[in-house]
Amino acid sequence: MFESLYEFLDWTSIIIGILTFIPVVLTYLEVTVGRRRRHQRWFREACRESGNRAAILHVDLLPERDTDVTVWRFTSQRDDLGSIPSERYFHLHRKERLGPEDMPEFVRELREQIGEIGHAGVDTVHLFYAGPAVAAATVGAELANQFRVLVYHHQHSDYINFGPLRHI
């Protein structure tokens, strides 16, 4: 069958190489594709779950328009958000344009609202945000370490769910 020991070792190494290549490829696919699939499934579930004790925080920093009606319409059309009682609906609204000199006062107001949210025993905050990006970063930084936050962004007179603030 084999004429020499080297020919036998050559065929043996080929067979062992093929047998080890298959699990390596399967493991690679599971790590790359499987992890991405699991993360996407988690993200979709996180967007749908409202939380055990949810609250709504509506931050409106657009002085030229009022987004109250849009938020109310959006939340009333969804069963999970419409069932949140009014005592867990928190609103932060500024009538004038937010400038750099207004940030300390804005942060103080935001922290007061977050304190009230914490006193209500909330585990999940549905954040409806309309305003400048600098203030959005501030709101995110203040909320991220305390609650599970689902972000809804004002876009074209409606709100879009962008999912959880922090990804795993």
Side-chain angles (χ1 to χ4, degrees):
M1 182 168 170
F2 296 108
E3 296 179 13
S4 71
L5 178 64
Y6 291 116
E7 189 176 324
F8 172 75
L9 291 176
D10 186 37
W11 280 103
T12 306
S13 65
I14 290 172
I15 292 171
I16 291 173
I18 290 172
L19 291 176
T20 57
F21 177 74
I22 293 171
V24 167
V25 169
L26 292 176
T27 303
Y28 173 76
L29 289 175
E30 174 59 28
V31 167
T32 57
V33 177
R35 181 179 296 163
R36 187 178 316 127
R37 190 172 359 104
R38 282 191 306 274
H39 186 266
Q40 288 173 345
R41 183 175 51 234
W42 171 84
F43 187 78
R44 283 191 305 270
E45 289 173 3
C47 288
R48 283 192 306 263
E49 293 177 12
S50 63
N52 294 330
R53 190 160 168 84
I56 294 173
L57 174 59
H58 176 206
V59 179
D60 182 5
L61 303 176
L62 298 175
E64 61 274 0
R65 65 185 118 128
D66 190 12
T67 60
D68 288 340
V69 174
T70 309
V71 171
W72 180 83
R73 187 183 73 229
F74 183 84
T75 57
S76 64
Q77 291 173 349
R78 298 204 26 199
D79 293 336
D80 56 342
L81 297 176
S83 64
I84 297 174
S86 60
E87 61 266 7
R88 285 186 281 165
Y89 182 90
F90 301 92
H91 188 92
L92 183 58
H93 184 73
R94 293 185 64 91
K95 297 287 185 195
E96 62 277 345
R97 186 165 299 282
L98 185 68
E101 64 279 353
D102 301 322
M103 285 303 289
E105 177 66 20
F106 170 71
V107 171
R108 187 191 60 72
E109 293 172 6
L110 177 64
R111 287 181 178 163
E112 285 176 3
Q113 286 288 339
I114 292 172
E116 291 179 26
I117 292 170
H119 287 302
V122 170
D123 66 342
T124 302
V125 173
H126 295 270
L127 173 63
F128 289 86
Y129 181 80
V134 171
T138 303
V139 171
E142 292 292 328
L143 287 172
N145 293 328
Q146 299 182 35
F147 309 102
R148 179 174 165 256
V149 180
L150 295 173
V151 179
Y152 299 83
H153 179 69
H154 185 260
Q155 190 169 347
H156 306 296
S157 299
D158 201 7
Y159 278 89
I160 298 170
N161 183 348
F162 275 76
L165 185 62
R166 188 179 335 156
H167 300 295
I168 294 177

